[in-house]
Structure formats: structure tokens, C-alpha cells
Amino acid sequence: MSSIFLPPPIQKINSEIATNAGVNLYILRLDLMHPQINGNKWFKLKYNLAAAKEKNFSTILTFGGAYSNHIYATAAAGNLFGFRTIGIIRGEENIPLNSTLQFAVAQGMQLVYINRQTYKQRHTEKLQTQLQQQFGEVFIIPEGGCNLNGMRGCIEILATIKEFNTVCLACGTGTTLAGMTLSLNQNQKMIGFPVLKGGNFLQEDINNLLKNYLASDLPKPVNSPAPWELICNYHFGGYAKINNELKLFCQNFQEQHDIPLDYVYTGKMFYGVMDLITQGYFQSESLLLVHTGGLQGNIGFTN
């Protein structure tokens, strides 16, 4: 299943700001692994799809918003690996469909819209039972691939990468960060940049993911969780909220380094890292910044 994915390269970022601070800056290009199923999304889908196949499910059902990278990747993966897919979309249908949902439909995904109040119940047994009754035998993957199978895949992202002091990552659900902490050693550190306003709630979510994973029957990593922290003040107003300052930063970064950033996740983290470097937060360190893909979402911000 993994053979169609390219190994993600690590690129040096030649930044005068970083050099002056004695910081060596690198980027892990998960966005280059596959044209459609890239970034951390593949890692969070990998073992969920394997579990669905092992249990003889032919249909995957999952959740997301109208510009969801997870919906986009799940639709593509379902088409590629022979699963029927159903996307439960938050909110009302808008015609014409945006580019994300057009792509999902083109990949064969059935879109089902539910109101925002009902969508808040997506994790409950009641709603999931209703969906099973409505659609039959479906394998349910949580929004964003946020479960232990998703975390298991994320442990593999940094499995062979040991030479960096600190790894920086944009956070949505915290699943990727939780997995990564189990592949680092105690001399390394993870820093998560929540893209949601009030992202401190992820502290509890990440701790619960780690606790539940270590108590599960899934393969255990050799390491205990590496030290980690969240820096919550680079959300730019909340999830999918951006402004001209962020857009200009991402555009300038691409012009200078030939690396595109997405506005919803990686762009915010990169902005935060560069701002913290100028403040002296990082000194004489080797930083690895993880590009988690999601570039398709930029289309929604072109106007």
C-alpha cells in the first residue's frame, strides 16, 4: 500500500534571520509524498484503511468541513485502494461545489450534509449508530483521522530522523504531534502550533491520546513520549482564519525558498517559528519544521 508514496525529502532553509540567531532551519516535505494523498493525512489514513481491509469493509465513512484536507485525501485514497467513500460534511450544501468537494465527488465520494448542531455529535455513539443504520456496514474514521490507528501512522513520520533538537508542527487535533512524540528521544522536543483559537484544550486531548495508545494493544514504540509543548498565539483568529499579513508572509516565503505553504496549517506554524527566532526564543538549535501538506485548501482563499 505504501509503495506508491515517495520518501519525503528534508530541505535546508537558508534564512538570514535564522543564521543570525545561530539556528539551522530545515523542512520535512511531507507535501511531496503524493500529489493527492500527502502530508500527515496519509499517515493518519494508512492503518485505518488497513484495519478496514482486514475487517472486510468495503465502505469508508468520515467527517469534515467544506475545505477539509482529510475529506480530500480520504476520497483520493478510497478511489486508489478500492473503497467506496462517504463524506459527512459540516453545514449546508452550496452549489456550485468548491474545488475540494468537486474533487471528492470526482473521486467517487458520496457527500452527505448535516447541520452544524448535529455535526457536533459526530463522536457520539448515538450518531454513529444512526449512520450505520442509514448506510449499512461502514468503517468510520473520525474527523482528521483522529484515533489510535491515525496516531500509529504518525509515529512513523520521524522514525528515522534523529539529528534535530526540536521539531515544529502545526496542530489541528493533536494526533500527529502525539504520534511524533513517541518516535523522538528524550533529548529532543516537539513544539505544536495550534491553528484553532484557544488551542490550549489540545493539552488534554494529546495527553489522552498518549495514555490510550500506550494502554492499547497496538505496537508500542521503544521510546517514552518526548518532551512537548504548545504555543497557542499564532492562530490568526482561529481555524481557517487568515489575514493579509499571513498571506503576504506565505507568498514571500515561496518566492524566497520555492516552497509553497498552506494558509490554514503550515503557514501559521512557519510564521510563528520565524517570529520566535527574531525574539530569541530559539538559539543555537537545529529545527525541523514539518510541512503537513494541505496546499489544495489555498484555493479557497484566492479571492
Side-chain angles (χ1 to χ4, degrees), residues 10-13 18 21-27 161-168 184 187-191 273 277 282-289:
I10 295 176
Q11 292 180 227
K12 178 83 162 59
I13 300 173
V23 174
N24 291 311
L25 211 53
Y26 297 84
I27 178 169
I161 300 172
K162 304 300 179 188
E163 61 268 31
F164 297 97
N165 305 116
T166 304
V167 179
C168 298
L184 298 178
N187 295 321
Q188 296 173 289
K189 180 181 180 180
M190 283 287 317
I191 300 180
V273 168
I277 289 174
F282 301 109
Q283 294 182 349
S284 301
E285 289 190 54
S286 181
L287 300 185
L288 180 67
L289 282 58

Tab-separated table of all heavy atoms in Angstrom, residues 10-13 18 21-27 161-168 184 187-191 273 277 282-289:
chain	number	residue	atom	x	y	z
A	10	ILE	N	14.153	16.193	3.047
A	10	ILE	CA	14.417	17.248	4.027
A	10	ILE	C	15.236	18.327	3.329
A	10	ILE	O	16.278	18.042	2.741
A	10	ILE	CB	15.179	16.702	5.243
A	10	ILE	CG1	14.315	15.697	6.001
A	10	ILE	CG2	15.599	17.848	6.170
A	10	ILE	CD1	15.021	15.037	7.166
A	11	GLN	N	14.751	19.559	3.360
A	11	GLN	CA	15.427	20.679	2.693
A	11	GLN	C	15.939	21.679	3.714
A	11	GLN	O	15.270	21.987	4.696
A	11	GLN	CB	14.456	21.387	1.739
A	11	GLN	CG	14.040	20.559	0.534
A	11	GLN	CD	13.095	21.307	-0.375
A	11	GLN	OE1	12.067	20.777	-0.799
A	11	GLN	NE2	13.417	22.555	-0.680
A	12	LYS	N	17.126	22.185	3.455
A	12	LYS	CA	17.683	23.275	4.272
A	12	LYS	C	17.039	24.582	3.833
A	12	LYS	O	16.865	24.839	2.645
A	12	LYS	CB	19.197	23.342	4.058
A	12	LYS	CG	19.885	24.474	4.827
A	12	LYS	CD	20.153	24.065	6.251
A	12	LYS	CE	21.196	24.937	6.936
A	12	LYS	NZ	20.896	26.359	7.004
A	13	ILE	N	16.659	25.399	4.808
A	13	ILE	CA	16.114	26.721	4.530
A	13	ILE	C	17.193	27.749	4.849
A	13	ILE	O	17.615	27.894	5.997
A	13	ILE	CB	14.859	26.995	5.374
A	13	ILE	CG1	13.771	25.969	5.063
A	13	ILE	CG2	14.338	28.414	5.129
A	13	ILE	CD1	12.579	26.062	5.972
A	18	ALA	N	17.456	33.251	10.571
A	18	ALA	CA	17.858	32.056	11.316
A	18	ALA	C	19.368	32.002	11.505
A	18	ALA	O	19.863	31.693	12.599
A	18	ALA	CB	17.360	30.808	10.587
A	21	ALA	N	20.661	34.112	14.202
A	21	ALA	CA	20.320	33.601	15.529
A	21	ALA	C	21.034	32.296	15.846
A	21	ALA	O	20.829	31.720	16.925
A	21	ALA	CB	18.811	33.404	15.634
A	22	GLY	N	21.873	31.818	14.912
A	22	GLY	CA	22.565	30.565	15.124
A	22	GLY	C	21.662	29.353	15.012
A	22	GLY	O	21.954	28.290	15.576
A	23	VAL	N	20.560	29.512	14.290
A	23	VAL	CA	19.574	28.438	14.149
A	23	VAL	C	19.713	27.796	12.773
A	23	VAL	O	19.720	28.490	11.750
A	23	VAL	CB	18.144	28.983	14.339
A	23	VAL	CG1	17.109	27.895	14.038
A	23	VAL	CG2	17.953	29.510	15.759
A	24	ASN	N	19.832	26.484	12.747
A	24	ASN	CA	19.801	25.740	11.495
A	24	ASN	C	18.361	25.292	11.241
A	24	ASN	O	17.763	24.613	12.075
A	24	ASN	CB	20.715	24.523	11.569
A	24	ASN	CG	22.177	24.917	11.605
A	24	ASN	OD1	22.631	25.722	10.794
A	24	ASN	ND2	22.928	24.360	12.553
A	25	LEU	N	17.841	25.678	10.093
A	25	LEU	CA	16.423	25.511	9.806
A	25	LEU	C	16.243	24.541	8.644
A	25	LEU	O	16.828	24.722	7.573
A	25	LEU	CB	15.832	26.888	9.440
A	25	LEU	CG	14.386	27.197	9.767
A	25	LEU	CD1	14.071	26.953	11.229
A	25	LEU	CD2	14.092	28.656	9.404
A	26	TYR	N	15.419	23.516	8.872
A	26	TYR	CA	15.136	22.508	7.844
A	26	TYR	C	13.629	22.272	7.768
A	26	TYR	O	12.900	22.524	8.736
A	26	TYR	CB	15.839	21.186	8.168
A	26	TYR	CG	17.339	21.267	8.184
A	26	TYR	CD1	18.020	21.693	9.327
A	26	TYR	CD2	18.087	20.936	7.062
A	26	TYR	CE1	19.399	21.781	9.350
A	26	TYR	CE2	19.479	21.014	7.074
A	26	TYR	CZ	20.123	21.436	8.214
A	26	TYR	OH	21.504	21.524	8.233
A	27	ILE	N	13.193	21.763	6.626
A	27	ILE	CA	11.780	21.464	6.445
A	27	ILE	C	11.616	20.039	5.921
A	27	ILE	O	12.310	19.625	4.988
A	27	ILE	CB	11.090	22.483	5.497
A	27	ILE	CG1	9.621	22.119	5.279
A	27	ILE	CG2	11.818	22.595	4.169
A	27	ILE	CD1	8.831	23.218	4.577
A	161	ILE	N	14.469	9.878	11.766
A	161	ILE	CA	15.025	11.233	11.815
A	161	ILE	C	15.403	11.560	13.252
A	161	ILE	O	14.538	11.735	14.103
A	161	ILE	CB	14.014	12.259	11.269
A	161	ILE	CG1	13.663	11.932	9.808
A	161	ILE	CG2	14.570	13.672	11.386
A	161	ILE	CD1	12.536	12.755	9.242
A	162	LYS	N	16.695	11.622	13.532
A	162	LYS	CA	17.150	11.778	14.917
A	162	LYS	C	18.066	12.975	15.144
A	162	LYS	O	18.482	13.230	16.275
A	162	LYS	CB	17.885	10.501	15.357
A	162	LYS	CG	17.067	9.220	15.225
A	162	LYS	CD	15.800	9.251	16.058
A	162	LYS	CE	14.983	7.983	15.904
A	162	LYS	NZ	13.668	8.078	16.559
A	163	GLU	N	18.418	13.712	14.077
A	163	GLU	CA	19.507	14.679	14.225
A	163	GLU	C	19.052	16.091	14.575
A	163	GLU	O	19.853	17.028	14.532
A	163	GLU	CB	20.336	14.723	12.935
A	163	GLU	CG	19.569	15.153	11.690
A	163	GLU	CD	18.966	13.989	10.918
A	163	GLU	OE1	18.619	12.980	11.537
A	163	GLU	OE2	18.845	14.113	9.686
A	164	PHE	N	17.782	16.289	14.923
A	164	PHE	CA	17.283	17.638	15.192
A	164	PHE	C	16.948	17.805	16.668
A	164	PHE	O	16.405	16.909	17.305
A	164	PHE	CB	16.048	17.925	14.334
A	164	PHE	CG	16.349	17.898	12.858
A	164	PHE	CD1	16.111	16.755	12.104
A	164	PHE	CD2	16.911	18.997	12.234
A	164	PHE	CE1	16.408	16.714	10.749
A	164	PHE	CE2	17.217	18.971	10.886
A	164	PHE	CZ	16.974	17.830	10.139
A	165	ASN	N	17.257	18.994	17.206
A	165	ASN	CA	16.941	19.284	18.602
A	165	ASN	C	15.435	19.416	18.816
A	165	ASN	O	14.888	18.892	19.785
A	165	ASN	CB	17.603	20.601	19.048
A	165	ASN	CG	19.089	20.621	18.818
A	165	ASN	OD1	19.592	21.413	18.028
A	165	ASN	ND2	19.818	19.751	19.510
A	166	THR	N	14.807	20.139	17.882
A	166	THR	CA	13.398	20.499	18.051
A	166	THR	C	12.648	20.277	16.748
A	166	THR	O	13.154	20.592	15.672
A	166	THR	CB	13.267	21.977	18.477
A	166	THR	OG1	14.030	22.184	19.678
A	166	THR	CG2	11.824	22.357	18.740
A	167	VAL	N	11.439	19.748	16.865
A	167	VAL	CA	10.555	19.547	15.711
A	167	VAL	C	9.314	20.400	15.905
A	167	VAL	O	8.686	20.365	16.976
A	167	VAL	CB	10.159	18.061	15.561
A	167	VAL	CG1	9.213	17.879	14.371
A	167	VAL	CG2	11.387	17.185	15.395
A	168	CYS	N	8.967	21.192	14.891
A	168	CYS	CA	7.821	22.102	14.970
A	168	CYS	C	6.727	21.644	14.016
A	168	CYS	O	7.005	21.234	12.879
A	168	CYS	CB	8.243	23.527	14.630
A	168	CYS	SG	9.461	24.215	15.774
A	184	LEU	N	10.516	10.257	18.933
A	184	LEU	CA	11.686	11.049	19.298
A	184	LEU	C	12.278	10.516	20.602
A	184	LEU	O	11.648	9.732	21.308
A	184	LEU	CB	11.296	12.519	19.467
A	184	LEU	CG	10.754	13.230	18.220
A	184	LEU	CD1	10.356	14.663	18.569
A	184	LEU	CD2	11.775	13.227	17.097
A	187	ASN	N	16.054	13.641	24.451
A	187	ASN	CA	16.891	14.817	24.212
A	187	ASN	C	16.315	15.729	23.137
A	187	ASN	O	16.887	16.787	22.843
A	187	ASN	CB	18.295	14.380	23.803
A	187	ASN	CG	19.008	13.632	24.914
A	187	ASN	OD1	18.879	13.990	26.077
A	187	ASN	ND2	19.743	12.578	24.559
A	188	GLN	N	15.214	15.300	22.547
A	188	GLN	CA	14.553	16.108	21.525
A	188	GLN	C	13.248	16.660	22.085
A	188	GLN	O	12.790	16.266	23.153
A	188	GLN	CB	14.288	15.255	20.283
A	188	GLN	CG	15.555	14.759	19.597
A	188	GLN	CD	15.236	13.780	18.483
A	188	GLN	OE1	14.815	12.646	18.727
A	188	GLN	NE2	15.435	14.220	17.251
A	189	LYS	N	12.658	17.570	21.324
A	189	LYS	CA	11.451	18.237	21.804
A	189	LYS	C	10.505	18.503	20.642
A	189	LYS	O	10.940	18.816	19.525
A	189	LYS	CB	11.845	19.564	22.473
A	189	LYS	CG	10.688	20.384	23.027
A	189	LYS	CD	11.215	21.683	23.639
A	189	LYS	CE	10.089	22.525	24.196
A	189	LYS	NZ	10.598	23.785	24.780
A	190	MET	N	9.206	18.384	20.903
A	190	MET	CA	8.173	18.741	19.934
A	190	MET	C	7.525	20.055	20.356
A	190	MET	O	7.237	20.252	21.540
A	190	MET	CB	7.070	17.666	19.900
A	190	MET	CG	7.394	16.400	19.173
A	190	MET	SD	7.440	16.544	17.369
A	190	MET	CE	6.013	17.536	16.994
A	191	ILE	N	7.306	20.928	19.388
A	191	ILE	CA	6.520	22.134	19.642
A	191	ILE	C	5.352	22.156	18.668
A	191	ILE	O	5.542	22.105	17.453
A	191	ILE	CB	7.357	23.419	19.477
A	191	ILE	CG1	8.534	23.427	20.443
A	191	ILE	CG2	6.480	24.652	19.706
A	191	ILE	CD1	9.414	24.656	20.333
A	273	VAL	N	7.297	30.316	13.945
A	273	VAL	CA	8.710	29.964	14.149
A	273	VAL	C	9.615	31.144	13.798
A	273	VAL	O	10.530	31.492	14.569
A	273	VAL	CB	9.087	28.725	13.312
A	273	VAL	CG1	10.605	28.526	13.292
A	273	VAL	CG2	8.404	27.475	13.867
A	277	ILE	N	12.072	33.171	16.337
A	277	ILE	CA	13.517	33.276	16.100
A	277	ILE	C	13.964	34.728	16.279
A	277	ILE	O	14.988	35.006	16.921
A	277	ILE	CB	13.897	32.755	14.700
A	277	ILE	CG1	13.752	31.231	14.652
A	277	ILE	CG2	15.333	33.149	14.345
A	277	ILE	CD1	13.965	30.639	13.268
A	282	PHE	N	14.602	30.737	20.007
A	282	PHE	CA	15.473	29.633	19.597
A	282	PHE	C	16.887	30.176	19.444
A	282	PHE	O	17.099	31.176	18.766
A	282	PHE	CB	15.025	29.042	18.262
A	282	PHE	CG	13.619	28.498	18.269
A	282	PHE	CD1	12.608	29.150	17.579
A	282	PHE	CD2	13.307	27.334	18.943
A	282	PHE	CE1	11.316	28.650	17.565
A	282	PHE	CE2	12.022	26.821	18.940
A	282	PHE	CZ	11.022	27.481	18.246
A	283	GLN	N	17.845	29.505	20.030
A	283	GLN	CA	19.227	29.934	19.918
A	283	GLN	C	20.126	28.714	19.774
A	283	GLN	O	20.034	27.772	20.578
A	283	GLN	CB	19.643	30.759	21.143
A	283	GLN	CG	18.901	32.092	21.256
A	283	GLN	CD	19.371	32.905	22.443
A	283	GLN	OE1	20.101	32.423	23.298
A	283	GLN	NE2	18.955	34.166	22.496
A	284	SER	N	20.973	28.746	18.746
A	284	SER	CA	21.942	27.663	18.504
A	284	SER	C	21.256	26.303	18.517
A	284	SER	O	21.671	25.369	19.219
A	284	SER	CB	23.061	27.709	19.554
A	284	SER	OG	23.720	28.953	19.509
A	285	GLU	N	20.199	26.205	17.763
A	285	GLU	CA	19.438	24.961	17.678
A	285	GLU	C	19.323	24.504	16.233
A	285	GLU	O	19.497	25.283	15.301
A	285	GLU	CB	18.019	25.146	18.237
A	285	GLU	CG	17.938	25.312	19.736
A	285	GLU	CD	16.501	25.237	20.224
A	285	GLU	OE1	15.819	24.243	19.906
A	285	GLU	OE2	16.067	26.171	20.910
A	286	SER	N	19.000	23.240	16.085
A	286	SER	CA	18.686	22.665	14.788
A	286	SER	C	17.199	22.344	14.785
A	286	SER	O	16.742	21.474	15.529
A	286	SER	CB	19.514	21.401	14.556
A	286	SER	OG	19.233	20.839	13.299
A	287	LEU	N	16.432	23.091	13.991
A	287	LEU	CA	14.972	22.960	13.960
A	287	LEU	C	14.519	22.222	12.711
A	287	LEU	O	14.997	22.507	11.604
A	287	LEU	CB	14.288	24.327	13.975
A	287	LEU	CG	14.529	25.280	15.142
A	287	LEU	CD1	13.648	26.509	14.985
A	287	LEU	CD2	14.252	24.600	16.461
A	288	LEU	N	13.578	21.303	12.875
A	288	LEU	CA	12.923	20.649	11.751
A	288	LEU	C	11.460	21.076	11.744
A	288	LEU	O	10.720	20.812	12.694
A	288	LEU	CB	13.026	19.128	11.858
A	288	LEU	CG	12.356	18.345	10.708
A	288	LEU	CD1	13.107	18.589	9.401
A	288	LEU	CD2	12.295	16.859	11.027
A	289	LEU	N	11.047	21.727	10.678
A	289	LEU	CA	9.668	22.172	10.523
A	289	LEU	C	8.948	21.196	9.597
A	289	LEU	O	9.448	20.913	8.506
A	289	LEU	CB	9.615	23.592	9.950
A	289	LEU	CG	9.908	24.746	10.922
A	289	LEU	CD1	11.272	24.635	11.567
A	289	LEU	CD2	9.794	26.079	10.198
